[in-house]
Amino acid sequence: MSSDESDEENVIRYGTPLDPFEEDEVPSKRKFQQQPDQYAVDEHGRRRFHGAFTGGFSAGYGNTVGTPEGWAPSSFKSSRSEKAQISNQRPEDFMDEEDRSEYGIAPRNLQTKSEFSGQKRTHQGFHDGPIPGEPVLGQLLRAVHETAAVKMLRKMGWKEGQGVGGRLTRSDKKRAKDQHKVYGCYMPPEMRQENKEESEESTDSEFEYETLFAPDDYEPYILQRKNDRFGLGYKGLSRHSVLGNLVGEYGDAGNSRSHLVMKEKGKKVSIRGQAFGVGAFEADDDDVYATHDMSHYDFEIGGATEKTEKKKAQDKSSNVLEGFVKASKPLPSIPNYPPPALPRDFVPAPAGVRRSRFDVTEAPQRDQGLGRHELTAEARGALLGETPLPETKEHIPETQTQETNLSKILGKSIDFVTQNTLKDKEKDTDFISIKDTGKDINVFKPFVSDPKKQARYEQYLKDKESGKESDRITGDTEREGDRLSEWERNREMIEFEQAAKLYRPLSGIMGDRFTHASEPDEGALNPLTAVAKSSINYGLATPEQIEAAKIGAYGTITRKETKWRPEALVCKRFNVPEIGERSEPKKDVKSKISYSIFSYMESSVHDKESFTKEQSKFSGSKSLNVDKQNKIDKPVEVKTQVTKPVSTEMNTGPNKRMTVAELFMKESEKDLQTKNKETEVVQTIEKFDRMDLYKSIFLSDSENEEINEETPSTDYKDFIDKPKNVERNTSPPRGIFANIDFDELNSWKRHSENKTSNTNDKSDQKTTDELSKINDNSKEKLDTTDRVQKLGADDSILPEAVYGPKIPENLQKRLEEMPENNFKPVFRRKDERDLDESSSSDSWVEAKVKTKKEKKKKSKKHKSKKKSKHKKKDR
Amino acid sequence: MVEQLSNIVTIKCKQQVVRAVRFNVDGSYCLTCGADKKIKLWNPHNQLLLKTYGGHANEVLDAAGSCDSSHIISCSSDKSVILWDVTTGQPVRRYRGHASSVTCVKFNEESTMAVSGSVDNTVSFWDVVSRRQEPVQILKDAKDTITSIQVTDHEVLTSSVDCHMRLYDMRVGKMFSDYIGHIITYASMTHDGQCYVLSCADNTIKLFDKDSGELLNTFSGHECKDFLLENSVNEKDSHIISGSATGEIFYWDLVSSSCTQKLVHGKRPVVSLSHHPTDNYLLTASEDEVVLWGVPKMEE
């Protein structure tokens, strides 16, 4: 449990874990959907859509069906008295809150639009006409957008109807008018004069002086296509009758689409259509709409009938289908704009084809910047006008030779730099072809820099293959021109060996691991592929077996027995007892040694087992050997007695103890609760003054020696009587005593023990031992006790030096408030309290026993508390 | 003397090729493993197709029903072993431990464990009851493809292309490997568990004594060619049955090794066969056709 917990402690988890996915579960085809995700829900958690495949809109009456009011037929309610109220209903009354929210139908709050639109947004309101939606007319007629120029002009103060420019006086304006260019026919000057004078006379009197006027508006002269053959500027009579239909030559009265038809020329206008016109018996008003238009004129001499006949003949002559009329004028030519010429390097990219970003782009990637990276160093230099550097090619051989020299000197020649700088010419010679497995395989040449050495290396390789190693060296040296010393040669040999290992062809080093696929691995895909018979492959059959099988002598020869061990689980499933001893691999509880100060105090040693563990763990470190001492001192029978309750306790409850800090916390809490501070403080301190007790027992002052000699014995007797107490007694120093150098004490103790004969008989004898000890090492003892006391004193004086958790301030204060620095007075005081007037020495023993009992009670209390706490934890 | 068997029922499986046909525990149903990646559950006695189990990614090579007929274990050349729920037809577990196509699979007696053999030369034990996904144990003794597996209460018999027959005895904790000298295409055991019958690629079927590994009898007459022919022992342990590449089914007397019966299935090789565990019925599969052989009941 503990190990698991600690393992989990190290893991930091974020988020909520997913449901564990079982590996063997066949994933369902439908994706996992969480129930709440499947329904649209408003902010109050009500379902938004209902019915009709849950696409139905709930219209704010969500989930009323099923509720009492949803089913109950509403009783008739007269609205007579509430007519006024009803009229006040607004669409908002039927809306949900969501509709008025940001994303609803009628958002209430102002918000910026995602994109800026210069035009004023048309108000989108509800149209309460018979046709729902946006008004059709509004859609048909769209306001002409003002151009940006007009808008700008407006901003600058321009108004429609006036020209641009500075304000002018009237005379200036007049002058400007005179200079005005006129297209078309010039007005005769007399006429102009007249007009002017008229206007001037009327106005001059009023605006004579400095009144400034805006200049006249410039009237754009818009050229209009001339679609008639009249003279310039002449407008003939409109061919459209007033009634709206073409007449005369161009229009056919009978086919006219107008409601008003003139039956007899200039006489009758009959009105077709309903709800409008002259009644049947009413006399016609003559010429109600008489105006001058073309229809009033005869264009030819003669009757109208003649004309029609002629027209028909004309029609026939021209190649026109019956019922059609040849167009009198050609259709206005539609201006033809040729498409823009494509740029020369334009490549059409069809919109449908999507280009993956991994496609190869033809355009070379430009470096960021200004394109200067595209230039080479030389080009840049040329641009800057630098003198070009001399060619660097000569350098390479130089370095090579240098290297070779160096390598000769050093006897070391594997050089990767030169190999890298080799030119292409040499590359093909970079490999030696070795005839291995019948194929030429290129082998890396490690000694290219030194051709002689390379030659030697190749020779070495050859020799190695052929297996003649002894004569290699001699022949080699003889052949080679350069003499190598013995040492150099040996070095080279080692080098070659290494190189040969390093640069073994792949076929050599990996060849034994891989084989060529003799056949494509189709077996997995197609089990029908032919497989070569492998009867040649006899498995692990020995030749004897093969022989025996050939002659059919099956039996002992062909049979082979080997040990085979079924897994435990296999045995279990087959209902077969497991063979052999059960060597279950027990989970090793990792012996974790945490070096936190808490571990020293927390894993307080209340039972023997944990104590011994502690001992082994921190042997020689800061644990106190009190228990050991006790063990030695105690008679054997006691031990057995002791162990029993311990074991039971171990079984019943987890032996996790409170930390000192926790204890302190508890104590301080208690302090607050019960205001009887004095006694509490005494108690708490009492808890941690076992060291003092220890000191008083074993390292007592020289004056008290005689008396103290007895005390331990009584103490032990006490233990014997109540073996459970041993538990409590063996607790290691904690809290304020944690920093007392117990090692020192222990070492001293051990030392003394070694000296004295190791007897574990009876307490009496122990006392004698103690005596002898004391006698022997009285000096030492004195020193140590002094030191200990000093330390204790230091402790109280210098709280900074205290290790372990900080003592709560209130406690600390109280500690400091103690009359004396050392802890003895506590006992005194207790004595005084318990037994009002008695000698200090006597009361000591007595008080001790009493305090013991108290402690016991206390400890029990703690235990119960702890247990409860554990329960909480387990949950 | 065995009654003369005759063709009772012929089932066209419509599975392209039936790789294996297997009776269930009590012989009332049968499974056919098809090259169409499906397993079909039939009632062969009335030609009823009960269910089709689809989920394998490649040809199903072998299948076996559990002892309570609630599950099916099947193996395929998609390298997986699938445990099926019979009634729902859904795969319950899919074991992907083999490195190559799985050729044979068997349940143990209590159907708590499945044993599968593969082209990757291994035999794997799969714990069917627990959720464990890895094989419980892998036997790596074989040096070539495992062609067949037989499981008894405490033994596992495997035959391999490496000419070895291996018997794993759990009680003794030993593996007995017998070198046969020929590729073993199929191994079966007699019902008394004392002998094993090996179909060898040398056109023989060999009967071996389990304890000593001695050859007891050899049966020949059929033709093996390159097919992984299966064999079987009839319900009384009196005859050895095997298909043939020539499309016949041979019955040999176990003791005298004389051919007592020859059933003609067709022209195509009879690769798979399965004998009824208790009655005198035999299922043979050849290509797309499964034939149930038996003694026709006399009709009054």
Side-chain angles (χ1 to χ4, degrees):
Chain A
M1 177 194 139
S2 61
S3 67
D4 287 3
E5 253 180 30
S6 62
D7 281 348
E8 277 176 348
E9 270 169 28
N10 296 333
V11 181
I12 301 161
R13 289 210 181 90
Y14 295 101
T16 48
L18 282 171
D19 288 336
F21 178 73
E22 306 291 352
E23 270 190 2
D24 54 336
E25 251 179 47
V26 179
S28 60
K29 272 170 192 165
R30 212 180 295 158
K31 261 189 187 172
F32 173 71
Q33 278 184 319
Q34 255 187 336
Q35 200 69 7
D37 289 347
Q38 295 178 39
Y39 304 109
V41 157
D42 68 358
E43 56 195 3
H44 299 293
R46 295 170 299 197
R47 262 186 78 174
R48 203 72 194 78
F49 301 112
H50 302 271
F53 308 105
T54 64
F57 184 55
S58 68
Y61 293 103
N63 292 338
T64 48
V65 171
T67 59
E69 66 267 25
W71 283 117
S74 55
S75 54
F76 175 72
K77 207 176 166 190
S78 173
S79 59
R80 201 183 201 180
S81 56
E82 295 157 2
K83 263 177 186 165
Q85 286 173 13
I86 286 160
S87 65
N88 281 339
Q89 277 179 338
R90 290 173 306 150
E92 281 86 346
D93 296 339
F94 300 96
M95 284 184 186
D96 281 346
E97 311 155 29
E98 299 99 34
D99 297 335
R100 267 170 273 164
S101 72
E102 201 177 339
Y103 302 107
I105 327 163
R108 270 299 168 88
N109 48 346
L110 287 170
Q111 59 196 43
T112 52
K113 276 195 96 179
S114 57
E115 68 215 15
F116 172 75
S117 62
Q119 298 287 326
K120 235 186 187 177
R121 199 167 69 104
T122 51
H123 176 70
Q124 209 180 9
F126 283 102
H127 184 64
D128 43 7
I131 307 161
E134 220 178 310
V136 183
L137 268 178
Q139 281 181 322
L140 287 173
L141 305 172
R142 290 209 177 271
V144 177
H145 290 300
E146 281 178 330
T147 58
V150 171
K151 264 189 257 175
M152 279 164 73
L153 280 170
R154 279 245 171 78
K155 284 266 165 70
M156 289 158 76
W158 177 77
K159 277 168 198 157
E160 264 169 303
Q162 65 182 29
V164 190
R167 299 205 151 221
L168 305 166
T169 53
R170 198 166 180 81
S171 54
D172 285 337
K173 223 177 156 183
K174 226 186 277 168
R175 225 170 292 142
K177 226 176 203 173
D178 287 342
Q179 290 164 1
H180 197 272
K181 243 184 191 173
V182 174
Y183 297 93
C185 298
Y186 227 72
M187 226 182 192
E190 319 86 66
M191 274 183 75
R192 267 170 36 184
Q193 218 68 37
E194 275 170 29
N195 277 338
K196 250 184 218 169
E197 269 163 336
E198 271 175 16
S199 61
E200 265 167 36
E201 272 162 30
S202 59
T203 51
D204 257 2
S205 55
E206 293 161 41
F207 315 101
E208 201 148 13
Y209 302 104
E210 293 105 49
T211 339
L212 296 175
F213 295 94
D216 281 333
D217 196 5
Y218 163 74
E219 272 167 34
Y221 183 78
I222 296 154
L223 286 169
Q224 278 172 331
R225 283 164 67 98
K226 191 164 169 56
N227 52 0
D228 51 12
R229 294 197 181 90
F230 299 130
L232 278 176
Y234 174 75
K235 273 185 198 167
L237 279 169
S238 168
R239 266 173 287 142
H240 292 271
S241 77
V242 180
L243 304 175
N245 57 331
L246 281 172
V247 277
E249 207 179 6
Y250 304 102
D252 194 351
N255 296 341
S256 74
R257 265 158 260 136
S258 174
H259 294 301
L260 306 173
V261 181
M262 201 170 289
K263 274 179 185 164
E264 283 175 36
K265 209 177 280 172
K267 284 278 164 69
K268 275 182 190 171
V269 173
S270 76
I271 301 166
R272 289 192 306 174
Q274 59 240 40
F276 177 35
V278 188
F281 304 107
E282 282 174 39
D284 285 347
D285 295 335
D286 44 350
D287 240 5
V288 190
Y289 304 106
T291 341
H292 266 294
D293 72 49
M294 284 293 243
S295 57
H296 296 268
Y297 297 90
D298 276 333
F299 292 94
E300 277 157 58
I301 302 155
T305 49
E306 248 185 359
K307 193 182 76 183
T308 51
E309 276 169 21
K310 206 180 182 182
K311 210 170 127 192
K312 271 177 188 171
Q314 220 175 27
D315 285 348
K316 269 171 193 168
S317 66
S318 60
N319 231 348
V320 174
L321 278 171
E322 208 173 321
F324 284 86
V325 181
K326 200 176 184 185
S328 57
K329 61 168 185 159
L331 280 170
S333 65
I334 298 150
N336 183 29
Y337 302 108
L342 293 173
R344 239 185 301 159
D345 51 351
F346 174 75
V347 178
V353 180
R354 279 188 125 215
R355 207 179 71 82
S356 150
R357 64 191 148 131
F358 302 112
D359 279 358
V360 186
T361 49
E362 276 176 38
Q365 264 200 339
R366 268 189 75 143
D367 282 319
Q368 39 29 340
L370 305 162
R372 48 201 159 111
H373 301 284
E374 287 161 20
L375 297 170
T376 59
E378 286 87 46
R380 237 177 292 140
L383 279 174
L384 292 166
E386 283 173 358
T387 50
L389 288 165
E391 289 281 307
T392 50
K393 278 184 181 177
E394 299 133 51
H395 288 278
I396 299 158
E398 267 180 33
T399 48
Q400 259 189 7
T401 49
Q402 271 182 3
E403 292 290 343
T404 49
N405 289 339
L406 258 174
S407 63
K408 255 180 199 169
I409 295 156
L410 295 168
K412 180 208 267 183
S413 50
I414 302 172
D415 192 285
F416 296 97
V417 183
T418 47
Q419 282 148 24
N420 291 337
T421 52
L422 282 173
K423 275 178 256 169
D424 289 7
K425 277 188 273 174
E426 284 154 349
K427 260 182 190 165
D428 49 358
T429 61
D430 226 8
F431 298 95
I432 323 158
S433 66
I434 279 187
K435 274 177 189 169
D436 186 36
T437 65
K439 284 174 194 167
D440 279 4
I441 289 158
N442 286 327
V443 179
F444 180 64
K445 278 182 173 181
F447 306 104
V448 200
S449 53
D450 191 345
K452 278 179 187 171
K453 197 170 185 181
Q454 180 63 36
R456 262 176 281 153
Y457 174 64
E458 277 167 43
Q459 185 63 40
Y460 163 82
L461 282 177
K462 271 182 206 165
D463 291 346
K464 201 181 159 197
E465 261 181 73
S466 54
K468 42 174 183 178
E469 272 190 69
S470 53
D471 54 302
R472 185 198 57 80
I473 304 161
T474 51
D476 201 28
T477 41
E478 276 164 23
R479 197 172 49 233
E480 292 300 322
D482 58 337
R483 294 280 150 86
L484 295 168
S485 71
E486 195 67 28
W487 180 80
E488 269 183 311
R489 210 182 298 136
N490 285 341
R491 276 297 296 271
E492 210 175 61
M493 271 302 298
I494 296 158
E495 220 175 275
F496 284 167
E497 269 172 42
Q498 281 178 340
K501 261 185 217 165
L502 250 174
Y503 305 113
R504 242 170 101 199
L506 186 71
S507 65
I509 198 159
M510 296 292 204
D512 44 0
R513 297 197 190 176
F514 299 100
T515 53
H516 283 283
S518 53
E519 289 157 34
D521 185 23
E522 280 177 307
L525 299 169
N526 184 12
L528 294 173
T529 45
V531 178
K533 261 191 196 175
S534 67
S535 55
I536 327 114
N537 175 21
Y538 298 114
L540 290 175
T542 56
E544 298 95 69
Q545 281 184 337
I546 294 161
E547 277 302 306
K550 262 183 192 166
I551 49 167
Y554 297 102
T556 43
I557 308 163
T558 53
R559 175 154 280 203
K560 211 163 62 179
E561 267 185 43
T562 42
K563 259 206 164 181
W564 172 70
R565 196 188 171 81
E567 289 282 315
L569 190 61
V570 175
C571 290
K572 202 176 169 186
R573 294 275 180 266
F574 275 79
N575 285 330
V576 169
E578 242 178 285
I579 320 146
E581 76 285 351
R582 276 173 167 265
S583 65
E584 271 184 45
K586 273 189 181 177
K587 272 188 183 174
D588 275 19
V589 180
K590 279 177 201 167
S591 59
K592 288 176 295 168
I593 301 167
S594 57
Y595 295 102
S596 140
I597 189 96
F598 284 97
S599 70
Y600 288 78
M601 295 180 295
E602 190 180 358
S603 59
S604 58
V605 218
H606 293 288
D607 45 46
K608 270 194 323 187
E609 214 179 273
S610 61
F611 181 76
T612 46
K613 226 186 255 172
E614 186 107 320
Q615 282 281 307
S616 58
K617 227 191 255 178
F618 311 116
S619 57
S621 69
K622 282 176 184 168
S623 62
L624 183 59
N625 273 7
V626 185
D627 193 58
K628 217 175 212 174
Q629 197 67 37
N630 281 346
K631 267 193 245 166
I632 295 154
D633 294 348
K634 267 178 268 156
V636 188
E637 310 96 64
V638 177
K639 264 192 188 169
T640 51
Q641 272 186 346
V642 168
T643 45
K644 267 188 182 173
V646 167
S647 60
T648 50
E649 200 208 58
M650 271 179 64
N651 291 336
T652 49
N655 45 354
K656 204 188 172 187
R657 306 289 160 176
M658 275 182 165
T659 62
V660 174
E662 276 174 323
L663 273 172
F664 270 116
M665 288 297 286
K666 278 268 161 62
E667 289 299 334
S668 56
E669 271 174 43
K670 245 187 235 165
D671 275 12
L672 288 170
Q673 281 168 5
T674 62
K675 306 246 164 148
N676 190 1
K677 283 174 189 174
E678 277 282 301
T679 51
E680 283 300 322
V681 169
V682 170
Q683 277 188 336
T684 50
I685 286 160
E686 196 191 308
K687 266 184 151 317
F688 308 105
D689 59 13
R690 220 164 286 126
M691 185 57 217
D692 253 28
L693 177 68
Y694 174 78
K695 269 192 282 174
S696 64
I697 295 164
F698 298 111
L699 322 162
S700 54
D701 303 330
S702 48
E703 315 100 71
N704 295 348
E705 263 177 38
E706 281 80 21
I707 310 148
N708 284 341
E709 272 169 42
E710 254 77 292
T711 50
S713 63
T714 51
D715 218 337
Y716 292 132
K717 269 172 194 165
D718 188 43
F719 286 149
I720 293 154
D721 291 338
K722 288 140 191 159
K724 274 176 194 168
N725 251 1
V726 176
E727 272 192 321
R728 298 293 305 165
N729 204 22
T730 55
S731 66
R734 27 157 76 164
I736 26 177
F737 302 103
N739 63 335
I740 293 169
D741 197 350
F742 298 122
D743 280 38
E744 192 80 30
L745 295 171
N746 289 338
S747 62
W748 168 74
K749 264 269 112 111
R750 272 180 231 128
H751 191 61
S752 64
E753 271 172 54
N754 288 342
K755 276 186 178 176
T756 55
S757 58
N758 224 359
T759 53
N760 50 353
D761 283 0
K762 285 277 143 86
S763 56
D764 294 27
Q765 210 160 351
K766 182 65 213 158
T767 48
T768 55
D769 287 352
E770 207 84 4
L771 259 172
S772 64
K773 247 190 266 164
I774 291 151
N775 291 336
D776 286 346
N777 308 312
S778 55
K779 260 191 186 176
E780 265 185 27
K781 240 186 277 172
L782 269 171
D783 287 357
T784 47
T785 45
D786 279 359
R787 209 182 300 158
V788 169
Q789 277 185 341
K790 262 185 195 169
L791 275 167
D794 284 351
D795 218 74
S796 52
I797 291 156
L798 299 166
E800 284 84 14
V802 174
Y803 293 96
K806 206 184 162 191
I807 300 162
E809 273 187 319
N810 51 353
L811 253 177
Q812 184 90 34
K813 265 180 200 169
R814 267 170 235 149
L815 280 170
E816 280 163 9
E817 276 163 24
M818 290 294 154
E820 263 92 340
N821 282 341
N822 50 9
F823 297 94
K824 261 185 189 167
V826 180
F827 281 86
R828 291 263 162 71
R829 283 183 62 178
K830 200 155 174 83
D831 298 346
E832 277 160 27
R833 200 191 54 187
D834 289 334
L835 315 160
D836 290 341
E837 289 153 73
S838 58
S839 66
S840 61
S841 57
D842 278 324
S843 63
W844 256 65
V845 181
E846 286 265 325
K848 254 230 53 70
V849 176
K850 277 219 166 180
T851 48
K852 277 262 163 242
K853 277 171 188 170
E854 269 181 33
K855 267 180 211 162
K856 227 168 76 185
K857 278 177 196 168
K858 258 198 134 178
S859 71
K860 273 180 186 170
K861 229 194 253 171
H862 276 299
K863 261 177 212 164
S864 62
K865 264 183 196 170
K866 260 176 256 159
K867 272 174 190 170
S868 64
K869 216 187 161 189
H870 260 284
K871 272 175 195 167
K872 270 180 200 170
K873 271 191 177 175
D874 288 349
R875 252 179 261 153
Chain B
M1 187 63 203
V2 185
E3 301 125 302
Q4 285 294 314
L5 295 176
S6 58
N7 185 335
I8 299 175
V9 168
T10 306
I11 306 169
K12 285 273 179 195
C13 290
K14 292 172 186 169
Q15 281 185 296
Q16 294 171 17
V17 172
V18 175
R19 292 276 172 232
V21 62
R22 299 279 180 260
F23 264 117
N24 78 328
V25 165
D26 58 354
S28 49
Y29 304 104
C30 78
L31 292 163
T32 56
C33 309
D36 65 344
K37 310 171 188 180
K38 298 215 166 44
I39 304 153
K40 281 183 176 173
L41 176 68
W42 304 84
N43 186 333
H45 304 286
N46 53 11
Q47 304 186 55
L48 205 66
L49 172 64
L50 300 171
K51 202 148 188 103
T52 308
Y53 302 90
H56 271 298
N58 210 332
E59 299 196 11
V60 187
L61 298 181
D62 198 1
S66 71
C67 61
D68 56 353
S69 292
S70 66
H71 288 98
I72 294 169
I73 194 98
S74 68
C75 62
S76 155
S77 49
D78 66 356
K79 307 174 190 175
S80 75
V81 174
I82 292 183
L83 180 74
W84 306 85
D85 190 284
V86 168
T87 44
T88 62
Q90 291 299 307
V92 182
R93 302 236 192 298
R94 178 172 265 147
Y95 301 105
R96 295 189 185 83
H98 281 297
S100 189
S101 44
V102 191
T103 51
C104 47
V105 71
K106 282 280 182 301
F107 267 122
N108 73 335
E109 242 186 12
E110 291 188 346
S111 301
T112 50
M113 193 154 258
V115 187
S116 64
S118 163
V119 178
D120 66 0
N121 309 353
T122 63
V123 174
S124 291
F125 289 75
W126 306 95
D127 191 4
V128 168
V129 229
S130 73
R131 287 193 160 278
R132 191 168 160 159
Q133 210 49 51
E134 312 84 51
V136 178
Q137 190 166 17
I138 302 173
L139 311 177
K140 293 174 177 171
D141 301 296
K143 296 289 171 285
D144 211 325
T145 304
I146 308 289
T147 51
S148 74
I149 287 177
Q150 295 296 333
V151 182
T152 67
D153 56 343
H154 67 284
E155 294 158 320
V156 175
L157 180 79
T158 67
S159 64
S160 169
V161 177
D162 67 355
C163 311
H164 276 81
M165 194 288 312
R166 291 180 177 82
L167 182 75
Y168 299 86
D169 196 324
M170 263 166 243
R171 282 189 195 154
V172 190
K174 273 181 181 168
M175 187 266 281
F176 303 98
S177 69
D178 282 354
Y179 176 72
I180 305 301
H182 306 283
I183 293 169
I184 308 160
T185 59
Y186 195 81
S188 65
M189 285 181 106
T190 52
H191 292 279
D192 62 354
Q194 290 306 306
C195 308
Y196 41 78
V197 187
L198 308 180
S199 292
C200 297
D202 64 338
N203 299 337
T204 57
I205 288 169
K206 292 186 168 72
L207 182 73
F208 281 87
D209 183 51
K210 193 183 84 183
D211 295 327
S212 63
E214 282 163 7
L215 180 68
L216 298 176
N217 222 336
T218 308
F219 310 93
S220 58
H222 65 296
E223 205 174 319
C224 191
K225 286 187 179 167
D226 278 344
F227 294 101
L228 286 175
L229 295 185
E230 291 175 3
N231 65 52
S232 189
V233 185
N234 76 339
E235 81 281 0
K236 291 172 191 159
D237 277 351
S238 60
H239 285 77
I240 304 279
I241 313 154
S242 172
S244 167
T246 51
E248 291 139 327
I249 298 130
F250 285 75
Y251 267 74
W252 289 281
D253 191 76
L254 187 116
V255 182
S256 66
S257 80
S258 59
C259 179
T260 55
Q261 221 179 132
K262 222 192 259 184
L263 309 172
V264 181
H265 189 292
K267 291 259 185 259
R268 293 293 176 170
V270 181
V271 173
S272 183
L273 54 86
S274 177
H275 197 273
H276 194 283
T278 49
D279 283 331
N280 196 8
Y281 284 112
L282 180 73
L283 272 172
T284 57
S286 171
E287 284 211 327
D288 196 20
E289 208 173 64
V290 169
V291 173
L292 178 72
W293 305 86
V295 183
K297 277 172 193 159
M298 298 304 287
E299 281 172 43
E300 275 100 54

